[in-house]
């Protein structure tokens, strides 16, 4: 989770540990940090962090981007689709 602090401090993310190696960052400030943090990830969870072409190209194992929001404007959806990466958002709060 690249920007867990954006969903609040009162939410437990412990359930994600059931599914594998889960790493959570309070914030991710710039593209260099994004690339470093996702380069070996299969799944990215983000709320506001931009996942653009450059990030996608550097995330060699990426299969899924989960957006912890309804909006999807921070993801290059066209390029993700071309690369076979599924993108899902929160459809309803």
């Amino acid at each position: 989770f690249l920007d867990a602090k954006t969903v609040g401090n009162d939410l437990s993310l412990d359930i994600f540990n059931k599914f594998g190696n889960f790493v959570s960052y309070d914030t991710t400030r710039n593209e260099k940090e994004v690339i470093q943090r996702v380069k070996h990830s299969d799944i990215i969870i983000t709320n506001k962090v931009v996942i653009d072409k450059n990030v996608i190209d550097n995330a060699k194992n990426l299969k899924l981007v989960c957006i912890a929001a309804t909006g999807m404007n921070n993801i290059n959806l066209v390029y993700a689709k071309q690369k076979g990466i599924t993108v899902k958002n929160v459809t309803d709060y």
Side-chain angles (χ1 to χ4, degrees):
F1 201 142
L2 292 173
D3 52 351
K5 191 172 184 176
T6 63
V7 296
N9 294 325
D10 60 342
L11 181 67
S12 174
L13 302 174
D14 292 340
I15 192 156
F16 290 111
N17 291 309
K18 290 173 139 182
F19 304 104
N21 183 24
F22 175 71
V23 179
S24 178
Y25 303 96
D26 284 344
T27 61
T28 300
R29 291 182 166 77
N30 57 54
E31 188 174 66
K32 184 178 178 181
E33 275 188 350
V34 176
I35 290 170
Q36 181 63 32
R37 292 174 176 181
V38 305
K39 65 182 176 183
H40 300 296
S41 298
D42 295 320
I43 300 169
I44 296 170
I45 304 172
T46 184
N47 183 5
K48 301 177 185 301
V49 174
V50 173
I51 307 299
D52 60 13
K53 181 183 184 300
N54 191 36
V55 171
I56 292 169
D57 283 342
N58 281 281
K60 303 297 182 192
N61 301 325
L62 190 59
K63 296 171 185 70
L64 174 64
V65 177
C66 296
I67 307 167
T70 55
M72 299 176 76
N73 60 318
N74 56 324
I75 312 298
N76 186 330
L77 297 171
V78 172
Y79 194 64
K81 185 175 182 177
Q82 288 174 357
K83 299 293 278 187
I85 299 165
T86 302
V87 179
K88 296 291 183 182
N89 66 336
V90 177
T91 56
D92 195 10
Y93 277 89

